Every structure is written in C-alpha cells, then in structure tokens.
Amino acid sequence: MTNKITAGLIGHPVGHSKSPLIHKYWLQKYGIEGDYVALDTMPETLGERISWLRNSGFAGFNVTVPHKQSVMKLCDSLDETSRQIGAVNTVCIDGEGFLSGRNTDVFGFTENIREQVRDFSFESGTAVVLGAGGAARAVVHGLLGEGVPEIVIANRTPEKAHELAAGSIDPDRINICSWDDKSACLQGAALLVNTTSAGMAGMPALDMELEPYLPRNCVVNDIVYAPLMTELLVNARALGNPVVTGIGMLLHQARPAFEAWFGVMPEVTSELKEKVL
Ligand code: ATR
C-alpha cells in the first residue's frame, strides 16, 4: 500500500477534458504523491463505476456531462449549492466509502470575475445573464449569493428562463427578458454573462448588438473559453469595456476539489492558464 492519493473524472466523453492536466499540474507543483485519471463512463454503467471508485480507494472524483444530475441520487450527502442548482461536479469519498457531493462551479464563476476585475462589486448593479441551462443555473446562484440587486435572464427558449428563476433562491430579484430584446436589456447593466454555447468554436455566433446599449463600465464575461476571446468579448473590448474570459471559471472550479482530495488549496497561475490554453 502506498500513500498515493488518486482522484478521477467521470463523464462521456472525457477525452477533451482539461481537468487531468490541471490537477496533474498542481500535484507536481505542490510535490504531492497522487494521480488524477479520466474515466470514460457511459450512463448505463454509472452505478457500477461509482462502486468501483468507492472500492478502489479513490479520494473522490469530478463529474461532467452527462452525469451531473444522475450522480446526485448515488451520493450519501449533498451540499446546499449542489442541491439548490441540481447538479454535482465534485464528489469526495471518505474512509468509510461515504460519498459527499458538491458543486464548485459557482465558486469558479465568482472567483474568476473577482480575479480578473479586482475592483468589481457584485452589488453595484444589474447583471444580464444569457442562457438558462446548467451553466446559467450556477451563474445565477452565484450572483444571488454575492448580493446582485437584480438579474435579467434572456434565453432563446423563454420557458426555461422562467423555470430557472422560479427554482432559484430569490425569484423576486430575477426578471426575464425576451431573446429578441436582449441587447436593449443591457442599458444600466453592471455585468453581462454569456452562458450559452453561441459563440463557441463550431457553434453559431451570438447575435448581440452592444451599441448603443452597453454601458462603458459594464463588465462582460463569456463562460465559453474556446475560443478564449469570443466575438462578444472582442466587440466589448473594442468598445473599451472590461472583459473576463471563461478559462478562469474552469480553473477556479477545480481548486476546492483539489483541496478536498489532496489537502492543499492550489493557486491559478499564469503558467497553468497557458498550459490549459
Ligand atoms: P450548459 O450546461 O453549458 O449550460 P445546456 O444546459 O445544454 O448547457 O444549455 C445550453 C444553453 O445555451 C441554453 O440556454 C440554450 O438555449 P435553449 O434553452 O433555448 O436551448 C443556449 N443555446 C445553445 N445554442 C444556442 C444558440 N445557437 N443561440 C442561442 N442560445 C443557444
């Protein structure tokens, strides 16, 4: 028996995932004897895979598409954030094989904004959120938790935006705007976050008119990170707005998971960012 600590990633597919690179970088940087392995897991073998992880002495694992919801019922406990947003991305396994699920995407989102715009105050004004999928759920939860006074959600399918708002911790602070009016919603906004896949490499562009609506001091964040500078960010930067790229959310969400398994809260360095990009 060695003292080597092992964690993993379950999802399908997992081949494209940056998580092994991130965790292995930190293991090496902090001189920890450990490993992080990607384990392609089909939905029909999820239960089997989790029993195997539990019996093989894993410290825990990350969870990605398509298991973020289905893994919840296999956990013995869930933290408040994962329960609220209905998705687990990190699981810890203790010595007794007890599985505790949590969600660190919310932390990743807020920490990324904090890191990239040092003087930004979440309480300073309205946040406009584009999209109402799983990522938007984490973003909205994070924004409400940080004290954003109002959130305006615009989603191509408006029913999903209404559902997201109704299931949040404070529906009264959320208004829904139609997808066609999303540009006009930017007036008076302090933060714009794109959580849709529009603008991602290989996907249709995000049709968003920033002029004349976007206030000059509005922070613009795209959680898409391939490409790093999406058309939205390129256009916002050209207007002189502060922009926040999406790669930091991926890097910061990995920090609490690494800490839980390996015992060190790691740092996001520019060297790590370069490696991942
Ligand atoms: P994720 O977990 O990344 O949020 P998701 O739950 O599948 O993924 O959500 C994708 C989001 O991107 C949704 O808000 C989706 O809009 P719909 O609810 O109308 O499907 C949005 N989206 C995807 N492609 C889009 C496009 N081409 N234009 C606008 N919105 C798009």
Side-chain angles (χ1 to χ4, degrees):
M1 257 312 260
T2 71
N3 292 326
K4 190 168 161 178
I5 305 169
T6 307
L9 164 71
I10 59 167
H12 180 75
V14 288
H16 66 286
S17 173
K18 307 280 187 194
S19 293
L21 194 161
I22 297 168
H23 288 282
K24 284 179 183 203
Y25 169 84
W26 283 330
L27 286 170
Q28 196 183 19
K29 180 174 162 67
Y30 296 103
I32 297 169
E33 202 188 328
D35 201 5
Y36 184 98
V37 290
L39 302 160
D40 199 306
T41 305
M42 301 289 278
E44 52 275 23
T45 60
L46 180 64
E48 223 174 283
R49 173 69 84 194
I50 288 180
S51 303
W52 179 81
L53 288 161
R54 190 183 243 148
N55 296 330
S56 306
F58 272 68
F61 52 95
N62 280 132
V63 185
T64 188
V65 176
H67 306 309
K68 283 186 169 190
Q69 283 84 34
S70 42
V71 79
M72 296 179 77
K73 58 181 182 303
L74 301 171
C75 288
D76 299 301
S77 75
L78 296 169
D79 76 344
E80 208 186 319
T81 306
S82 63
R83 248 183 288 139
Q84 181 58 43
I85 65 180
V88 158
N89 76 332
T90 301
V91 176
C92 294
I93 309 175
D94 74 6
E96 266 82 62
F98 188 91
L99 265 58
S100 45
R102 54 201 275 197
N103 190 298
T104 66
D105 288 330
V106 173
F107 174 87
F109 166 68
T110 53
E111 279 297 294
N112 183 35
I113 305 245
R114 274 207 187 88
E115 186 214 309
Q116 294 196 50
V117 190
R118 299 259 175 211
D119 57 352
F120 181 71
S121 160
F122 285 97
E123 293 168 8
S124 65
T126 299
V128 175
V129 175
L130 306 178
R137 222 167 265 279
V139 164
V140 165
H141 188 74
L143 292 172
L144 290 172
E146 292 293 337
V148 167
E150 184 200 18
I151 298 175
V152 175
I153 305 177
N155 192 47
R156 190 176 57 176
T157 313
E159 297 75 30
K160 283 204 215 161
H162 284 284
E163 236 175 78
L164 195 167
S168 77
I169 49 171
D170 193 356
D172 291 347
R173 266 191 282 158
I174 305 180
N175 289 304
I176 311 299
C177 153
S178 80
W179 185 246
D180 290 345
D181 292 338
K182 62 187 179 304
S183 294
C185 290
L186 295 175
Q187 292 176 86
L191 175 67
L192 166 64
V193 186
N194 175 43
T195 76
T196 76
S197 29
M200 197 183 277
M203 295 295 286
L206 177 70
D207 62 337
M208 185 95 195
E209 276 172 57
L210 300 181
E211 280 283 76
Y213 309 106
L214 187 74
R216 261 325 60 88
N217 56 354
C218 178
V219 171
V220 179
N221 171 216
D222 204 325
I223 71 161
V224 166
Y225 60 85
L228 185 65
M229 284 300 288
T230 59
E231 197 180 317
L232 172 68
L233 295 185
V234 169
N235 293 341
R237 182 185 269 175
L239 292 170
N241 284 74
V243 300
V244 175
T245 60
I247 192 68
M249 180 172 171
L250 172 75
L251 300 174
H252 283 284
Q253 63 77 30
R255 293 172 59 215
F258 188 90
E259 185 188 31
W261 304 322
F262 301 112
V264 174
M265 185 61 157
E267 268 178 65
V268 169
T269 59
S270 44
E271 186 190 31
L272 174 61
K273 263 183 208 172
E274 271 166 37
K275 275 181 188 286
V276 170
L277 289 169

